[in-house]
Amino acid sequence: MSSTSLFLATAIEAVLRAGEIQLSYFGRGVRIEKKGVIDLVTEADLAVEEMFRDLINSRFPDHLVLAEEHHQTDSTVDEPGFRWIFDPIDGTTNFAHNLPIFCSSLALEVSGRLEIATVYDPTRRELFTAERGGGAFLNGIPMKVSLAEKLVDSVLCTGFPYDVHDTLDDVVSLFSQFTGKARAVRRLGSAALDLCYVASGRLDGFWEQRLQPWDIAAGALLVQEAGGRISRLSGEEFNVHAGDVLASNGLIHDAMMTVIKTHTEALD
Ligand code: IPD
Ligand code: CA
Ligand code: CA
């Protein structure tokens, strides 16, 4: 087996195992703790992350792991070599409230470039996979972004960051701008799935601010490999460490950027 196939096989194995662990806790009164006023962690997040760190340490002991629950504060920068970027549960608030919209999200970065992505939603049994240059797949079937050309024909999605109580005006006013222009705007509670849904054409566009690398690394590669466009909100080049992301089918990207620019100028 080539090393790339071994990495992809490991990435698939990891998210499928994550899904099994998630389901073993889901809906059974999982223990919850607070990391912030509205930012939760459950015993399932911790169990999934432990499984993942053990898996990578045993298979690739020289690879780095950047995962949400036990990351070092200085580890959210580009690293040389191999780095696995993992979110043990993306959609923890949904998970803790027995709402079946969550996944695990995993990307392999090689010298700062995203090469492999896997996201698994165990309640729908949907596995999203991509390799750089090899296309994007949903349960093994190639997937493509949508063909919507106008905002008025588009379903968009966003998420609210955990500091939303302090940044409400900014977050809600952009939400309101898009709601006044799109067919619909959704807010599902899992940035990784939001990006997968742009990649699979279920959504036409997604934006969010103040995200972490583990929320968006896998989804970003999936959107690109499905033929979509990904950038920062300003249109600058996408960067997993920048925190903000604009993803679309490509066709409505400029129109979304115009809405964001008008909103940003109004704030200044
Ligand atoms: C969160 C989800 C949510 C997004 C938040 C993220 P978590 O991740 O992706 O959709 O709006 O900004 O932090 O905490 O469930 O892993
Ligand atoms: Ca997350
Ligand atoms: Ca998480």
Side-chain angles (χ1 to χ4, degrees), residues 68 87-92 105 162 189-192 211-212 214-216:
E68 177 170 10
D87 194 336
I89 301 181
D90 187 58
T92 294
S105 172
Y162 288 121
S190 164
L211 289 162
Q212 300 291 337
W214 45 82
D215 300 315
I216 51 179

Short mmCIF file of all heavy atoms in Angstrom, two decimals, residues 68 87-92 105 162 189-192 211-212 214-216, ligand 2:
data_model
loop_
_atom_site.label_atom_id
_atom_site.label_comp_id
_atom_site.label_asym_id
_atom_site.label_seq_id
_atom_site.Cartn_x
_atom_site.Cartn_y
_atom_site.Cartn_z
N GLU A 68 -8.98 19.23 19.21
CA GLU A 68 -9.58 20.32 19.99
C GLU A 68 -9.36 20.24 21.49
O GLU A 68 -9.05 21.24 22.13
CB GLU A 68 -11.09 20.38 19.71
CG GLU A 68 -11.76 21.46 20.54
CD GLU A 68 -13.19 21.73 20.16
OE1 GLU A 68 -13.78 20.98 19.37
OE2 GLU A 68 -13.73 22.73 20.66
N ASP A 87 -11.26 17.16 14.89
CA ASP A 87 -12.31 17.58 15.81
C ASP A 87 -13.08 16.32 16.22
O ASP A 87 -13.75 15.69 15.39
CB ASP A 87 -13.25 18.58 15.13
CG ASP A 87 -14.14 19.29 16.14
OD1 ASP A 87 -14.36 18.72 17.23
OD2 ASP A 87 -14.61 20.39 15.83
N PRO A 88 -12.98 15.91 17.49
CA PRO A 88 -13.59 14.64 17.90
C PRO A 88 -15.11 14.65 17.77
O PRO A 88 -15.71 13.63 17.43
CB PRO A 88 -13.16 14.48 19.36
CG PRO A 88 -12.74 15.83 19.82
CD PRO A 88 -12.25 16.56 18.58
N ILE A 89 -15.74 15.77 18.08
CA ILE A 89 -17.16 15.96 17.77
C ILE A 89 -17.31 17.40 17.30
O ILE A 89 -17.01 18.34 18.04
CB ILE A 89 -18.09 15.76 19.00
CG1 ILE A 89 -17.94 14.35 19.58
CG2 ILE A 89 -19.55 16.00 18.59
CD1 ILE A 89 -18.85 14.06 20.78
N ASP A 90 -17.73 17.59 16.07
CA ASP A 90 -18.08 18.93 15.62
C ASP A 90 -19.60 18.99 15.67
O ASP A 90 -20.29 18.22 14.98
CB ASP A 90 -17.56 19.20 14.21
CG ASP A 90 -17.80 20.65 13.85
OD1 ASP A 90 -17.31 21.53 14.57
OD2 ASP A 90 -18.53 20.90 12.86
N GLY A 91 -20.09 19.90 16.52
CA GLY A 91 -21.53 19.94 16.80
C GLY A 91 -21.79 19.45 18.21
O GLY A 91 -22.80 18.80 18.49
N THR A 92 -20.87 19.77 19.13
CA THR A 92 -21.00 19.28 20.51
C THR A 92 -22.28 19.76 21.18
O THR A 92 -22.91 19.01 21.94
CB THR A 92 -19.77 19.71 21.34
OG1 THR A 92 -18.63 19.03 20.80
CG2 THR A 92 -19.90 19.35 22.80
N SER A 105 -14.33 15.27 12.32
CA SER A 105 -13.74 15.92 11.15
C SER A 105 -12.23 15.78 11.24
O SER A 105 -11.63 16.11 12.27
CB SER A 105 -14.16 17.39 11.16
OG SER A 105 -13.47 18.09 10.17
N TYR A 162 -18.67 31.07 19.79
CA TYR A 162 -19.01 30.98 21.21
C TYR A 162 -18.94 32.32 21.93
O TYR A 162 -19.40 32.42 23.07
CB TYR A 162 -18.13 29.93 21.91
CG TYR A 162 -18.51 28.52 21.52
CD1 TYR A 162 -17.59 27.67 20.91
CD2 TYR A 162 -19.80 28.05 21.74
CE1 TYR A 162 -17.95 26.38 20.54
CE2 TYR A 162 -20.17 26.77 21.37
CZ TYR A 162 -19.25 25.94 20.77
OH TYR A 162 -19.61 24.67 20.39
N GLY A 189 -25.23 24.15 13.24
CA GLY A 189 -24.48 23.87 14.46
C GLY A 189 -23.29 22.94 14.28
O GLY A 189 -22.74 22.45 15.27
N SER A 190 -22.86 22.70 13.05
CA SER A 190 -21.64 21.93 12.81
C SER A 190 -20.96 22.49 11.57
O SER A 190 -21.39 22.24 10.44
CB SER A 190 -21.95 20.44 12.60
OG SER A 190 -20.84 19.79 12.03
N ALA A 191 -19.90 23.26 11.79
CA ALA A 191 -19.22 23.91 10.65
C ALA A 191 -18.67 22.88 9.68
O ALA A 191 -18.70 23.08 8.45
CB ALA A 191 -18.10 24.81 11.17
N ALA A 192 -18.18 21.76 10.21
CA ALA A 192 -17.62 20.73 9.31
C ALA A 192 -18.70 20.17 8.38
O ALA A 192 -18.48 20.01 7.18
CB ALA A 192 -16.99 19.61 10.13
N LEU A 211 -13.55 30.69 13.78
CA LEU A 211 -13.50 29.22 13.84
C LEU A 211 -12.07 28.77 14.14
O LEU A 211 -11.12 29.57 14.08
CB LEU A 211 -13.97 28.63 12.51
CG LEU A 211 -15.47 28.79 12.26
CD1 LEU A 211 -15.79 28.61 10.79
CD2 LEU A 211 -16.27 27.80 13.10
N GLN A 212 -11.92 27.49 14.42
CA GLN A 212 -10.61 26.90 14.72
C GLN A 212 -10.20 25.97 13.58
O GLN A 212 -11.07 25.49 12.84
CB GLN A 212 -10.69 26.10 16.04
CG GLN A 212 -11.09 26.92 17.24
CD GLN A 212 -10.01 27.92 17.65
OE1 GLN A 212 -8.84 27.74 17.33
NE2 GLN A 212 -10.41 28.98 18.33
N TRP A 214 -9.54 22.87 13.47
CA TRP A 214 -10.22 21.57 13.46
C TRP A 214 -11.67 21.67 12.98
O TRP A 214 -12.25 20.67 12.58
CB TRP A 214 -10.16 20.90 14.84
CG TRP A 214 -10.47 21.82 15.98
CD1 TRP A 214 -11.69 22.18 16.43
CD2 TRP A 214 -9.51 22.51 16.80
NE1 TRP A 214 -11.57 23.05 17.48
CE2 TRP A 214 -10.24 23.27 17.74
CE3 TRP A 214 -8.11 22.55 16.84
CZ2 TRP A 214 -9.62 24.07 18.70
CZ3 TRP A 214 -7.50 23.35 17.79
CH2 TRP A 214 -8.26 24.10 18.71
N ASP A 215 -12.27 22.86 13.02
CA ASP A 215 -13.64 23.02 12.51
C ASP A 215 -13.67 22.99 10.97
O ASP A 215 -14.69 22.61 10.38
CB ASP A 215 -14.24 24.38 12.92
CG ASP A 215 -14.31 24.58 14.42
OD1 ASP A 215 -14.73 23.65 15.12
OD2 ASP A 215 -13.96 25.69 14.89
N ILE A 216 -12.61 23.46 10.34
CA ILE A 216 -12.69 23.80 8.91
C ILE A 216 -11.67 23.12 8.00
O ILE A 216 -11.82 23.18 6.78
CB ILE A 216 -12.58 25.34 8.71
CG1 ILE A 216 -11.36 25.90 9.44
CG2 ILE A 216 -13.85 26.01 9.15
CD1 ILE A 216 -11.18 27.42 9.27
CA CA B 2 -15.81 22.19 16.06
#
